[in-house]
Amino acid sequence: MVHLSSPSALRPFLKWAGGKRQLIPELLKYVPEFGGQYYEPFIGGGALLLTLQPERATISDRNAELINCYQVVKDAVEDLIQTLQQHRNEAAYFYEVRSWDRHSDFATKTAVQRAARVIFLNKTCYNGLFRVNSKGQFNAPFGRYKNPTIANETVLRKVSAYLNQANVTIRQADFATTMAAAGRGDFVYFDPPYDPVSTTASFTGYYRNGFDRTEQQRLKAVVDELTQCGCQVLLSNAYTDFIQDLYRDYRCVRVSANRAINSNATKRGKVDEILVMNY
């Protein structure tokens, strides 16, 4: 049984577009007590997982590099830290490491090397944004930070300890595939790529293949199925007319969240989001 008097929250080891660290106080108001398994099929930075620290969890994402990071943090955190300590906050070096996924020998890199690359780029790129182009190649520019913490040993070790002490399954999978195993008494948190708030505001560049409104509708059908089988579901999304209409039969709450990741500085700050619940 998960109660909301969880141990002190762990910090995410990655800054992720749409990450929920700023929204955690609001989310916790609506997280139910549950006796089953916790599921988070769009894991991202994992802020809610690391706050709740459930004893049984399944986390997943379609992003292979992201899932590899979690697996390496769980299985080889000391090797990861050692490798991260070898990376340098220099522009030429940054672009050299960024270019790895443009070469055929990228497939020969070890899991630890790939995970360290993602964390290094995340800590040193502009605005800490995991962003890829249409070919799935990392394309955020160098951030020019004076002294970023590339290897946060304390955070990495604490997250690794949780992933090992709890029963946490880590999968690279589509959300529908992950949710096929969920049942009565389980709790699911969906934090998909958000519906764009305007025709020009697309926040899905970090997510290869995009997540359009057809995908949003497919996700809603999974929410319906989970509701019928007795799962408790909480979902975050942008407060748009499309999402409000899509989930009109569910309990919906409007909340404000701080958004730090946007290429346009004037668009950072408070934005409206929607929380959808089936309980």
Side-chain angles (χ1 to χ4, degrees), residues 106-174:
F106 185 52
T108 68
K109 300 292 185 186
T110 67
V112 170
Q113 287 174 324
R114 284 169 42 217
R117 171 182 178 268
V118 168
I119 295 172
F120 163 69
L121 295 176
N122 185 252
K123 301 301 182 184
T124 56
C125 75
Y126 179 73
N127 215 17
L129 177 62
F130 185 98
R131 191 184 69 188
V132 297
N133 60 22
S134 59
K135 296 179 181 178
Q137 300 163 339
F138 194 95
N139 68 349
F142 184 56
R144 304 191 182 281
Y145 300 115
K146 205 164 192 176
N147 190 27
T149 303
I150 295 171
N152 193 324
E153 298 176 35
T154 302
V155 168
L156 288 166
R157 288 188 178 114
K158 285 184 175 180
V159 173
S160 180
Y162 163 67
L163 293 175
N164 281 286
Q165 289 162 9
N167 181 1
V168 180
T169 300
I170 302 168
R171 301 183 65 191
Q172 184 202 350
D174 177 75

Side-chain angles (χ1 to χ4, degrees), residues 6 9-10 12-13 20 24 27 38-40 43-59 70 159 162-163 166-170 189:
S6 290
L10 301 173
F13 61 88
K20 288 296 172 289
I24 288 296
L27 287 175
Y38 176 86
Y39 286 87
E40 192 169 344
I43 188 60
L48 187 59
L49 169 82
L50 297 174
T51 298
L52 295 176
Q53 295 169 48
E55 293 175 5
R56 291 188 297 133
T58 295
I59 61 174
Y70 277 95
V159 173
Y162 163 67
L163 293 175
N167 181 1
V168 180
T169 300
I170 302 168
Y189 176 51

Side-chain angles (χ1 to χ4, degrees), residues 1-258:
M1 176 76 72
V2 169
H3 298 273
L4 297 189
S5 56
S6 290
S8 58
L10 301 173
R11 284 176 53 197
F13 61 88
L14 285 172
K15 185 178 179 184
W16 204 253
K20 288 296 172 289
R21 276 191 76 192
Q22 302 295 334
L23 197 61
I24 288 296
E26 283 296 318
L27 287 175
L28 291 180
K29 295 176 185 177
Y30 301 102
V31 172
E33 291 191 357
F34 59 97
Q37 181 143 301
Y38 176 86
Y39 286 87
E40 192 169 344
F42 301 93
I43 188 60
L48 187 59
L49 169 82
L50 297 174
T51 298
L52 295 176
Q53 295 169 48
E55 293 175 5
R56 291 188 297 133
T58 295
I59 61 174
S60 65
D61 201 279
R62 287 198 319 206
N63 187 317
E65 294 306 303
L66 173 63
I67 290 303
N68 177 64
C69 279
Y70 277 95
Q71 200 67 59
V72 168
V73 169
K74 180 178 182 180
D75 296 339
V77 72
E78 295 305 323
D79 290 343
L80 175 62
I81 289 169
Q82 191 174 18
T83 304
L84 280 169
Q85 289 169 340
Q86 297 167 13
H87 284 297
R88 308 187 303 275
N89 182 40
E90 300 167 2
Y93 178 76
F94 171 91
Y95 287 111
E96 178 191 333
V97 174
R98 195 187 76 165
S99 72
W100 285 7
D101 59 11
R102 289 156 172 78
H103 304 294
S104 57
D105 66 351
F106 185 52
T108 68
K109 300 292 185 186
T110 67
V112 170
Q113 287 174 324
R114 284 169 42 217
R117 171 182 178 268
V118 168
I119 295 172
F120 163 69
L121 295 176
N122 185 252
K123 301 301 182 184
T124 56
C125 75
Y126 179 73
N127 215 17
L129 177 62
F130 185 98
R131 191 184 69 188
V132 297
N133 60 22
S134 59
K135 296 179 181 178
Q137 300 163 339
F138 194 95
N139 68 349
F142 184 56
R144 304 191 182 281
Y145 300 115
K146 205 164 192 176
N147 190 27
T149 303
I150 295 171
N152 193 324
E153 298 176 35
T154 302
V155 168
L156 288 166
R157 288 188 178 114
K158 285 184 175 180
V159 173
S160 180
Y162 163 67
L163 293 175
N164 281 286
Q165 289 162 9
N167 181 1
V168 180
T169 300
I170 302 168
R171 301 183 65 191
Q172 184 202 350
D174 177 75
F175 66 87
T177 302
T178 299
M179 296 322 306
R184 182 169 299 278
D186 293 336
F187 172 56
V188 185
Y189 176 51
F190 286 119
D191 184 26
Y194 279 16
D195 185 47
V197 294
S198 70
T199 53
T200 57
S202 176
F203 211 46
T204 57
Y206 72 97
Y207 196 87
R208 191 178 181 189
N209 302 322
F211 199 89
D212 60 16
R213 288 186 167 177
T214 301
E215 288 289 273
Q216 298 285 2
Q217 290 166 332
R218 187 167 70 92
L219 175 57
K220 195 267 182 178
V222 170
V223 172
D224 291 343
E225 292 171 8
L226 292 170
T227 299
Q228 290 170 8
C229 75
C231 275
Q232 296 182 96
V233 176
L234 173 65
L235 176 142
S236 301
N237 214 312
Y239 192 80
T240 64
D241 291 342
F242 173 77
I243 296 297
Q244 290 178 71
D245 183 62
L246 190 62
Y247 291 99
R248 62 187 178 275
D249 295 329
Y250 289 89
R251 178 188 177 197
C252 296
V253 177
R254 184 177 186 171
V255 296
S256 286
N258 283 311

